[in-house]
Amino acid sequence: MINIKPSEVRASSSEAPSTGSISSSSVAAEKAFSFISKGWRDVRSSADADLQLLKNRANSFKNLADRELENFLNSASNSPFSVPTITASATLNSPPPAEIDFVRKLQPRLSEFRRAYSSPDFKLYPRPQIKIDLSAIKNAIVAEVDEEDEENERETFRSWRRVRFKESEREEGQFGEFWEPIRAFKSRLKKLEHKSSSEFFEGIKNSEFVEKFKSSLKSIYKDPNDAKEVPPFDVPELLACLVRQSSPFLDQLGIDKGLSDKIVESLCSKRKSQLLLRSLPAGESSVVESENINDELDLRIASVLQSTGHCYEGGFWNDCAKHDVLEKKRHVAIVTTASLPWMTGTAVNPLFRAAYLANSAKQNVTLLVPWLCRSDQELVYPNNLTFGSPEEQESYIRSWLEERVGFKADFKISFYPGKFSKERRSIIPAGDTTKFIPSKDADIAILEEPEHLNWYHHGKRWTDKFNHVVGIVHTNYLEYIKREKNGALQAFLVKHINNWVARAYCDKILRLSAATQDLPKSEICNVHGVNPKFLKIGEKVAADKERGQPSFSKGAYFLGKMVWAKGYRELIDLLAKHKSDLDGFNLDVYGNGEDAHDVQSTAKRLNLNLQFMKGRDHADDSLHGYKIFINPSVSDVLCTATAEALAMGKFVVCADHPSNEFFRAFPNCLTYKTPEDFVAKVKQAMANEPQPLTPEQRYNLSWEAATQRFMEYSELDKVLNNAGLGDSGRSSQMAITKSVSMPDLTEMVDGGLAFAHYCLTGNEFLRLCTGAIPGTRDYDKQHSKDLHLLPPQVENPIYGW
């Protein structure tokens, strides 16, 4: 066999014709060839050592067999057999042991073996030369760079085969004489080499395998000159990072996020063309063309951090002691600000949400509602309905729910202490609400009205105790506050407080419509449905219409809590301005509330055709015969009564307002923009009959569809399936930002806001200055008695000197 040294191959390759200086690819191929040659030399050295070891062992065995049998028996310790020492007397008086008989039988064979290897014709198999001609591999690689050497490579391969075959034929005798397996192995190799042809080699050379092989060689061997250092941040980039990460803090100062984005874009625009090209490997496309400057900046940050080997794993306020998800079923806690029998949206809708989430049987659900003492119950609950214990109220809630949904909802109802605020006309939590969810169930939290729940929250941060926190905005508080005295100033303060607490305590926020405040981490989606009872009423109306029976025997009505902010001001203004245009139009009004006397006296003074009645359930039989529901309110976020009227198959006349955006898809919803348009839509509804709802429209109004939308937009389906929250639709080029991270100033700001909020709400004087109910930082004795809690002084002791 011919031993072709790498130096000879390099020399031969240098004599090949060239058209100029050797390209960088040829240099890389040459270095790759050197790397392979070194590997084969290592293999050959290892094989030489093994063969030498075998030869030494054979010589040792030969020396051992040369000894006389007598010396072999007397030197048991040096032999491969364990033969005990035998005395002469023992030999004469007792039969020889089995070991000696074995040795005596072995002696003739050892003698034959000694004669065989002592013969002058005997010789050990010579050490094989493990030599492989690497020029073929090198030529296969270099051929991709220089096509002119193709014919020379083929000829080299043919000559190598001829020489190799001749060498193998010369050695075949030695192999075959002493080792039959070698003969068979060599013959098979010979057949395999005969099958190889120049066409086969050409196919391999031009195949994808060679390309992958070359790529792997490049990954193994990299030229130090090819490694490029990622340049550090310059001043504009540092300023852009600082402004982008400081947007939550700037937002609290009143600087809009859009302005912050413009500043970041202006800082990066000067070097946008080379922002990422310096840090991306050759051959990868840059994302400089992306319209999102934030993605570009993220990749630039990740590239610099990756070059330094830095990896950030947490923030200053991260809580590692969260609920450990080990059970098969997850836990969802729904926390709301009101409860039945108060017929308000935050009492009814969270109740239905809990029922339909629990009905899927995929997760355990707990509904956490406020418990009011007897004095507050008399102020809030209608018809003088009060409860002596939480168990009584829970029984009432379940009976009301099962009557409407038609199935038994398997979820838990818990209570937390609350107090009613007459000024705010709402219930304020007393104490730390998070304590009323056990740590073993603190997995996923759904905060109905998160800003309301956290205005005066003095306790554990929701995102620290729960793995995922979703907030659902129900109420347009800014619209209500603007109607009060000094409303503009109050609205400004409440806007920033809402922004503050929402950012500090929620991972995701859903807004029912665009009528609400634009909060951080928020999306717009209607996640409310209607009571199934209203859909059944609508189906009955459609069936009566098919049979030709009259469905509606009454005209128009309005239903809502009787406070000016619920649309009564707009209703009276419209009817008073166009009283002559709506001559003969009568409207029945159903509702109770704090402003009932003022509303009724104003309507009577203006001589409006309004007939006032006590408030009642919208599903009451007395309301089925009305054909038109009038709702001029612009303070609602998503009016539940409007959805219920549409589900019953009625006409709805409402304002062209973001709160009614979801209802515009229904043909029976008539929206108006001006007072004159209002008159026209009322006359249109009076002169026509509503269209029956299609199956798709009924489904869109149902709680099944609302629950599906909620699971999707809140990303709760991903959380429940342990799929993670952050990566959907990202470009593959942004994967680098996931493996390398840096301290997120946004998370640090959110944690700082939560800590500052905790400190401020712990001071009773500051709480009273902002309108909190006295004594609501902790629950009182009556709450501890009703809910069977520890006394306040034991739960929250006061230590002093």
Side-chain angles (χ1 to χ4, degrees), residues 281-297:
E284 295 188 8
S285 60
S286 173
V287 296
V288 175
E289 300 176 357
S290 172
E291 297 180 357
N292 193 347
I293 193 67
N294 291 326
D295 289 347
E296 302 173 7
L297 198 55

Side-chain angles (χ1 to χ4, degrees), residues 3 6 71 79 84 117 162 166 186-187 201 399 422 468 476 519 527 545 581-582 588 616 709 726-727 731 751 766:
N3 183 14
N71 295 336
S79 66
Y117 70 73
R162 289 193 297 269
K166 291 180 180 179
K186 293 295 294 181
S187 63
F201 176 74
S399 299
K422 295 181 180 179
H468 188 59
N476 189 357
L519 296 173
V527 293
K545 186 174 182 180
D581 297 331
L582 296 173
D588 296 337
R616 62 191 65 181
R709 293 192 297 266
D727 183 24
S731 171
L766 294 177

Side-chain angles (χ1 to χ4, degrees), residues 174-477:
Q174 296 176 356
F175 277 104
E177 186 176 356
F178 297 103
W179 203 345
E180 182 62 28
I182 297 297
R183 181 193 297 274
F185 181 70
K186 293 295 294 181
S187 63
R188 291 182 182 180
L189 285 179
K190 186 175 181 180
K191 292 180 181 179
L192 182 62
E193 289 177 344
H194 277 302
K195 292 181 180 180
S196 302
S197 61
S198 59
E199 291 79 7
F200 175 77
F201 176 74
E202 183 179 359
I204 291 294
K205 182 182 65 176
N206 297 328
S207 65
E208 185 179 357
F209 170 77
V210 176
E211 293 295 333
K212 293 182 178 180
F213 183 69
K214 290 166 62 179
S215 301
S216 63
L217 289 178
K218 290 181 180 180
S219 63
I220 295 174
Y221 179 82
K222 292 185 178 180
D223 191 350
N225 297 328
D226 295 339
K228 297 181 180 179
E229 294 184 358
V230 178
F233 294 119
D234 55 16
V235 175
E237 287 176 331
L238 290 174
L239 292 176
C241 294
L242 181 61
V243 173
R244 204 271 302 272
Q245 297 272 8
S246 303
S247 59
F249 179 72
L250 297 176
D251 189 25
Q252 296 297 325
L253 299 179
I255 300 177
D256 187 69
K257 187 176 183 298
L259 181 59
S260 301
D261 293 339
K262 291 181 179 179
I263 295 175
V264 173
E265 185 176 0
S266 63
L267 289 172
C268 297
S269 61
K270 296 181 180 179
R271 49 172 300 144
K272 186 174 181 180
S273 60
Q274 53 182 353
L275 182 61
L276 298 176
L277 292 177
R278 300 179 302 177
S279 58
L280 288 176
E284 295 188 8
S285 60
S286 173
V287 296
V288 175
E289 300 176 357
S290 172
E291 297 180 357
N292 193 347
I293 193 67
N294 291 326
D295 289 347
E296 302 173 7
L297 198 55
D298 285 339
L299 187 56
R300 171 71 175 137
I301 293 172
S303 301
V304 175
L305 291 177
Q306 189 181 49
S307 66
T308 62
H310 171 76
C311 184
Y312 178 73
E313 297 181 352
F316 296 135
W317 289 280
N318 284 0
D319 186 5
C320 299
K322 290 187 178 182
H323 171 78
D324 189 11
V325 182
L326 296 177
E327 301 181 9
K328 293 182 179 180
K329 295 185 68 174
R330 307 293 294 272
H331 297 267
V332 177
I334 302 176
V335 188
T336 186
T337 57
S339 176
L340 295 179
W342 190 12
M343 297 300 296
T344 183
T346 53
V348 176
N349 291 308
L351 181 61
F352 280 110
R353 194 184 329 279
Y356 281 88
L357 281 176
N359 192 41
S360 65
K362 295 181 179 179
Q363 56 276 326
N364 296 322
V365 179
T366 298
L367 177 64
L368 190 62
V369 298
W371 167 259
L372 299 178
C373 298
R374 182 64 65 90
S375 57
D376 284 338
Q377 292 182 32
E378 295 173 353
L379 297 175
V380 178
Y381 299 152
N383 303 323
N384 297 322
L385 183 61
T386 59
F387 305 96
S389 66
E391 291 76 15
E392 292 183 16
Q393 187 171 1
E394 179 180 353
S395 178
Y396 175 88
I397 294 172
R398 292 191 183 278
S399 299
W400 185 93
L401 177 65
E402 292 176 8
E403 180 184 353
R404 284 154 178 80
V405 298
F407 59 86
K408 187 175 182 179
D410 184 15
F411 65 93
K412 181 181 178 181
I413 298 179
S414 298
F415 293 85
Y416 68 88
K419 288 190 176 182
F420 180 70
S421 174
K422 295 181 180 179
E423 293 76 14
R424 297 182 180 272
R425 298 172 182 176
S426 58
I427 299 174
I428 303 298
D432 183 6
T433 311
T434 63
K435 291 183 178 180
F436 296 90
I437 298 294
S439 298
K440 63 183 181 64
D441 296 336
D443 184 12
I444 300 169
I446 301 173
L447 306 184
E448 311 277 352
E449 291 195 324
E451 65 275 54
H452 184 163
L453 284 170
N454 293 295
W455 278 336
Y456 305 106
H457 174 70
H458 181 71
K460 195 174 184 67
R461 187 182 177 190
W462 293 94
T463 51
D464 286 345
K465 184 169 184 177
F466 291 84
N467 294 313
H468 188 59
V469 182
V470 180
I472 302 177
V473 180
H474 290 247
T475 308
N476 189 357
Y477 289 106

